[in-house]
Amino acid sequence: MIQVQDTTSALREPKSHRKDLRLKPSVLDTIERASLAVGMDASTFITSVAYRAAQDIEAAQHRSVLPTKAFDAFADAIDQPAQPSAALTDLFTKRRELIADD
């Protein structure tokens, strides 16, 4: 049996917002059967499952995964001291000419 937990129960804030959903009858029937199977009401089930999926999506947006070889090359590159380019040196020279630091 698949275990589903109320992932929103730890959030200490009132349920002050509403979201109306239009569902196909077969979708609602499936949701209601699944929620009963795990001992939740349909609203808590929908909220918990949607919240968990949203957290997973947000986490995936902020995570970069590299194959080991690419990660090793990246780590080696950032461990090496950078060599300034002529363009960067020129930019800092122009900055000193244009901006006076107090």
Side-chain angles (χ1 to χ4, degrees):
M1 176 192 241
I2 296 175
Q3 297 296 317
V4 178
Q5 296 177 346
D6 181 358
T7 56
T8 65
S9 63
L11 301 173
R12 299 292 174 220
E13 55 192 20
K15 292 182 180 181
S16 58
H17 289 68
R18 294 184 61 84
K19 183 69 176 170
D20 293 323
L21 302 172
R22 296 183 64 80
L23 304 171
K24 295 178 180 180
S26 61
V27 171
L28 181 57
D29 290 343
T30 302
I31 289 170
E32 288 177 342
R33 284 192 311 271
S35 65
L36 286 172
V38 296
M40 289 184 186
D41 62 83
S43 178
T44 301
F45 179 81
I46 291 168
T47 303
S48 294
V49 173
Y51 183 58
R52 182 72 231 152
Q55 289 176 313
D56 291 345
I57 290 167
E58 284 187 336
Q61 297 295 315
H62 295 85
R63 179 177 47 219
S64 297
V65 179
L66 295 174
T68 301
K69 188 174 181 178
F71 176 80
D72 291 343
F74 173 75
D76 288 343
I78 62 173
D79 286 341
Q80 301 300 320
Q83 299 300 319
S85 66
L88 184 60
T89 303
D90 290 345
L91 184 62
F92 275 99
T93 300
K94 288 179 184 175
R95 180 193 181 284
R96 274 189 236 108
E97 294 169 359
L98 296 173
I99 300 172
D101 290 332
D102 291 333

